[in-house]
Amino acid sequence: MNFLLTTSLYLFTVNLISCSITTQYYQHLINQRTKEALRYKLPTSNNEFKLGVESENTEGKQVQEMRLVLFAFSEYGEFDFVIVGAGSAGSVLATRLSEIDDFTILLLEAGGEEDDFNQIPALWLYNQFSEKNWGYYSIPQKHSCLGMNNKQCVVPRGKLLGGSSSINGVMYSRGNCKDYDKWYQIGNRGWSCKDVLPYFKKSENSQISGDENYRGKGGFWNIEYPLPDSPLYQNFVNGSLELKQPIVEYNGKNQIGASHLQSNIKHGRRQSLATAFLDNSRHRSNLKVLTKTLVTKVVIDPQSKKATGVEFVTRNKKFHVRATKEVIVSAGAVNTPQLLMLSGVGPKDELSKLEIPVVADLPVGKNLIEHPILGLMVRSDYTPPKIGLNELIQQYLNGFGALTKGANVEGVGYIQTKNDSSEVPTIEILVSIPPHIDSSIFQRQFNYNKNIIDGLLDTIDPQRDIFFYIVLLHQKSRGRIFLNSGSPIDFPNIDFNMLSEQEDVDTLIEGVKYVQKLLKTHAFRKINATLLEVPICTNFKISSKEYMECLIRNLANSGSHPCGTAAMGPNNGNFVVGDTLEVHGVGNLRVVDASIFPSSISGHLNAPTVMVAEKAADLIKKEHKYL
């Protein structure tokens, strides 16, 4: 046997062994983590950050006295910029600011690191039942989530590097051009569509063919189609064409129509903003990242009304750090308003009741916007081929297959249900194609009350059923975030107040009717696609308006797209930050995340949040004479 042949056989054998070890590793990882998610108990407070001591009782048993102890603060030094939150916005902002060698940046994150499991797009739901999720629920609702336990909507929020981009469904959607023109019309200079488009393009490395005027190449954030397509995707395309819906590239010039879903994946793996951005900047000497760290207060000088630093808890110690230029809060639409209010920036009447000294009387926490989402189950004659976990893993490692698809969504449609010429969609349709993950995780995801919706999950066949998710894009109803107490250990109260406006329900009903029309097209009739009846609202005639409203109010949940709680606009008492994202009336304090959105987006929020961070970085560089 010659040398070359011997070497080739050796390398082939090594590769086989390596592949086998990797596959076994992922099999064990997936089996372990999916089981853990089904029994994981979500936290109800930030008790992990309480400072405490261990002591023995008289019987010699160890007990944990969890209490806030008035330890003295240790000084953590000073940085030019202190960024609170390493989620989507914080990861981008820290990376861009650290490009300036003269800047020093401290990035603080309450959660930990990413891992191999959270990078598998299809298993995103399981991450929401782990330490990677804050664990929030809304307060009991009056108009929505009525079929959920205690009438509470789920509020998954990422608690790790990358934030919610590390646990979401990896769907890339910018929204509609006119969404941002509306921001400009409110009074936000520099935030029109033509102003923000360059920042969408800057971040992305698009693998999507389309109009180059709308797509970016060479950015950190990869965008591609998950492959291969299911045959059912073509049914969706053909059915949409029958209904006169054009096939579009929905992140291009025209949004209304049907399209293939675009995902933030690279070779099939999740590309969170931590993976895409922070991995390219953490090695820099001017950037320090602290994980497992809860920021408890922004320190604001009561005389000058300027932010001077933050206080935080990490590893059972309390610290104070100075910010010589700015404190930037990028903690997300739930945690940002909580931190601002704990620091004295918020509604005066609410803060005074909690004996929090008021620094600035601003409508923090108000204007909470959410996308209600309703899932419809459809059964057809189509049965996908069965593929074992071992083969799924091998496909995933080669960058394709079911595990690369977040929520199994392949098709997306943006439709206008009103007779106007606005060219702004009112409803998003997401088509999730079987086979699905085990239906037992759906119970945890949607928080269904089995006493109200008995047998709903039993009707699901994960191997056959198609899920049509109807998303209300522009809800008129508004909610709010407000403090439960003056302690950072307590979770904030989240009141979505979804569907309190009847117009919102009526628009969702139009979305249901659209799906019904879609199922009547030849493309879906030829596979006998039928809407499954659910065991609820049986006192109403099926398909009546009363039935559909009952269905919506019981089953529609939050779309995990909260925003608007520190809204951007003029300093007239109705907004929290100005168009440079600086907090009104407070110096050296800026907010950079989805909480600054003054109005709703015709799509998902991750891409617009990244755009905000990209633009904010340039605003900051320009202000400090580096641009």
Side-chain angles (χ1 to χ4, degrees):
M1 188 178 293
N2 63 42
F3 175 76
L4 288 177
L5 181 58
T6 303
T7 303
S8 298
L9 286 173
Y10 171 76
L11 292 174
F12 177 73
T13 304
V14 168
N15 286 334
L16 277 178
I17 294 172
S18 176
C19 181
S20 175
I21 292 172
T22 303
T23 302
Q24 290 175 12
Y25 164 74
Y26 273 97
Q27 283 181 330
H28 175 75
L29 180 69
I30 291 170
N31 288 329
Q32 178 187 27
R33 293 291 186 85
T34 52
K35 289 177 182 177
E36 288 174 356
L38 295 177
R39 60 176 182 266
Y40 180 79
K41 186 175 181 180
L42 290 169
T44 56
S45 72
N46 291 318
N47 265 343
E48 66 183 286
F49 292 103
K50 271 190 174 181
L51 302 177
V53 295
E54 281 192 345
S55 64
E56 289 189 1
N57 64 18
T58 54
E59 297 178 357
K61 295 180 180 178
Q62 289 287 339
V63 295
Q64 181 73 22
E65 295 179 355
M66 296 303 293
R67 55 192 175 90
L68 279 175
V69 182
L70 297 178
F71 293 127
F73 282 102
S74 298
E75 291 297 327
Y76 201 79
E78 65 180 34
F79 294 78
D80 292 327
F81 299 94
V82 176
I83 302 174
V84 182
S88 297
S91 294
V92 173
L93 192 59
T95 298
R96 292 305 189 193
L97 291 183
S98 64
E99 293 171 347
I100 306 300
D101 291 338
D102 291 342
F103 288 165
T104 56
I105 302 104
L106 176 64
L107 180 61
L108 302 172
E109 167 57 41
E113 304 277 347
E114 290 190 90
D115 59 30
D116 290 331
F117 184 77
N118 84 279
Q119 291 185 340
I120 305 174
L123 303 181
W124 65 298
L125 280 182
Y126 293 96
N127 290 299
Q128 295 181 12
F129 297 94
S130 72
E131 73 287 347
K132 294 179 175 63
N133 178 20
W134 282 87
Y136 297 139
Y137 288 90
S138 74
I139 64 172
Q141 298 293 284
K142 296 179 181 178
H143 310 285
S144 63
C145 297
L146 303 184
M148 315 306 169
N149 289 314
N150 203 30
K151 300 180 181 178
Q152 290 177 285
C153 310
V154 295
V155 192
R157 296 285 83 201
K159 185 183 178 185
L160 72 164
L161 295 179
S164 295
S165 75
S166 298
I167 66 169
N168 66 9
V170 294
M171 301 178 193
Y172 183 82
S173 174
R174 295 175 176 174
N176 191 277
C177 202
K178 292 190 176 182
D179 296 336
Y180 306 103
D181 286 341
K182 184 175 181 180
W183 290 12
Y184 176 80
Q185 292 159 8
I186 289 171
N188 294 303
R189 298 162 299 175
W191 291 91
S192 69
C193 182
K194 66 179 178 62
D195 295 316
V196 303
L197 180 57
Y199 290 106
F200 278 113
K201 294 170 66 176
K202 181 179 182 179
S203 64
E204 73 174 28
N205 183 35
S206 175
Q207 310 302 317
I208 309 299
S209 59
D211 190 336
E212 292 183 359
N213 292 320
Y214 289 88
R215 303 311 311 223
K217 287 282 189 181
F220 289 131
W221 206 22
N222 203 65
I223 300 159
E224 62 186 47
Y225 293 127
L227 296 171
D229 294 338
S230 161
L232 288 177
Y233 171 67
Q234 196 59 47
N235 292 87
F236 169 67
V237 168
N238 293 340
S240 299
L241 288 171
E242 288 184 56
L243 295 181
K244 311 301 181 186
Q245 292 292 318
I247 306 306
V248 297
E249 198 280 83
Y250 63 91
N251 287 311
K253 183 177 180 180
N254 300 309
Q255 185 188 17
I256 294 180
S259 185
H260 196 302
L261 183 80
Q262 300 173 21
S263 292
N264 291 115
I265 56 177
K266 187 173 184 179
H267 306 310
R269 300 185 187 219
R270 174 190 299 277
Q271 259 226 319
S272 74
L273 277 310
T275 300
F277 278 78
L278 272 185
D279 282 358
N280 289 288
S281 60
R282 288 181 76 176
H283 66 279
R284 294 172 183 162
S285 60
N286 64 339
L287 172 61
K288 184 173 181 60
V289 181
L290 275 186
T291 59
K292 301 290 184 178
T293 299
L294 180 71
V295 177
T296 57
K297 184 180 181 180
V298 177
V299 180
I300 303 172
D301 185 278
Q303 277 72 46
S304 67
K305 297 291 183 71
K306 291 183 178 181
T308 61
V310 304
E311 297 172 358
F312 62 89
V313 177
T314 185
R315 295 156 181 84
N316 214 36
K317 293 182 180 179
K318 293 167 69 174
F319 292 92
H320 168 264
V321 62
R322 283 177 47 78
T324 59
K325 286 184 170 63
E326 294 185 22
V327 172
I328 304 169
V329 184
S330 299
V334 174
N335 289 13
T336 283
Q338 180 193 25
L339 179 60
L340 291 176
M341 288 186 281
L342 288 171
S343 307
V345 180
K348 181 178 180 180
D349 55 342
E350 294 183 27
L351 300 187
S352 297
K353 290 177 183 177
L354 297 173
E355 299 182 348
I356 298 173
V358 179
V359 175
D361 182 10
L362 295 170
V364 173
K366 298 183 179 179
N367 191 51
L368 173 58
I369 307 168
E370 178 58 290
H371 285 153
I373 182 170
L374 174 69
L376 299 178
M377 294 173 289
V378 171
R379 186 157 296 165
S380 74
D381 290 342
Y382 174 76
T383 302
K386 290 186 177 182
I387 303 176
L389 179 59
N390 184 64
E391 186 176 349
L392 286 174
I393 291 170
Q394 291 178 23
Q395 291 178 352
Y396 170 71
L397 294 174
N398 284 290
F400 70 97
L403 290 179
T404 70
K405 301 176 182 182
N408 272 31
V409 173
E410 293 188 20
V412 57
Y414 289 97
I415 63 172
Q416 168 58 265
T417 60
K418 298 179 180 179
N419 294 320
D420 62 32
S421 57
S422 67
E423 298 178 354
V424 177
T426 54
I427 289 289
E428 177 187 57
I429 306 293
L430 297 169
V431 185
S432 180
I433 290 170
H436 303 282
I437 52 180
D438 186 79
S439 61
S440 55
I441 196 66
F442 291 141
Q443 171 62 39
R444 301 216 72 186
Q445 179 197 15
F446 293 112
N447 194 35
Y448 289 138
N449 185 328
K450 293 183 178 179
N451 293 327
I452 298 175
I453 314 175
D454 184 41
L456 173 62
L457 295 177
D458 294 336
T459 65
I460 298 175
D461 183 347
Q463 296 301 314
R464 293 181 56 195
D465 294 343
I466 311 167
F467 286 82
F468 285 82
Y469 293 105
I470 304 169
V471 183
L472 177 63
L473 295 172
H474 299 288
Q475 185 177 207
K476 304 297 181 184
S477 308
R478 291 292 184 269
R480 67 182 184 123
I481 306 286
F482 58 103
L483 294 179
N484 186 37
S485 76
S487 170
I489 298 302
D490 292 328
F491 280 176
N493 292 311
I494 303 168
D495 182 8
F496 283 128
N497 195 34
M498 289 193 305
L499 308 181
S500 58
E501 298 286 339
Q502 183 62 38
E503 181 181 343
D504 295 336
V505 177
D506 294 340
T507 304
L508 267 176
I509 288 175
E510 292 304 312
V512 174
K513 290 179 179 178
Y514 178 82
V515 172
Q516 291 174 330
K517 291 178 184 177
L518 193 61
L519 296 179
K520 291 178 181 178
T521 62
H522 173 72
F524 280 99
R525 280 190 289 109
K526 69 180 184 180
I527 59 171
N528 291 322
T530 305
L531 194 64
L532 290 178
E533 295 181 11
V534 296
I536 190 173
C537 305
T538 52
N539 51 325
F540 297 110
K541 183 179 178 180
I542 298 294
S543 294
S544 67
K545 181 179 179 180
E546 293 79 10
Y547 171 80
M548 285 190 277
E549 178 167 349
C550 175
L551 207 66
I552 288 165
R553 292 197 182 278
N554 276 277
L555 298 184
N557 214 317
S558 66
S560 302
H561 296 164
C563 62
T565 50
M568 173 177 62
N571 189 8
N572 59 12
N574 297 318
F575 301 96
V576 176
V577 303
D579 52 27
T580 60
L581 308 185
E582 294 169 294
V583 174
H584 290 309
V586 183
N588 303 338
L589 180 60
R590 212 179 292 250
V591 175
V592 180
D593 58 30
S595 63
I596 67 99
F597 296 5
S599 56
S600 51
I601 298 294
S602 307
H604 299 232
L605 302 193
N606 208 198
T609 300
V610 173
M611 175 274 292
V612 167
E614 290 276 27
K615 182 173 174 62
D618 275 4
L619 287 171
I620 293 167
K621 290 176 181 179
K622 184 176 181 180
E623 182 174 320
H624 293 281
K625 314 299 183 187
Y626 285 92
L627 192 67

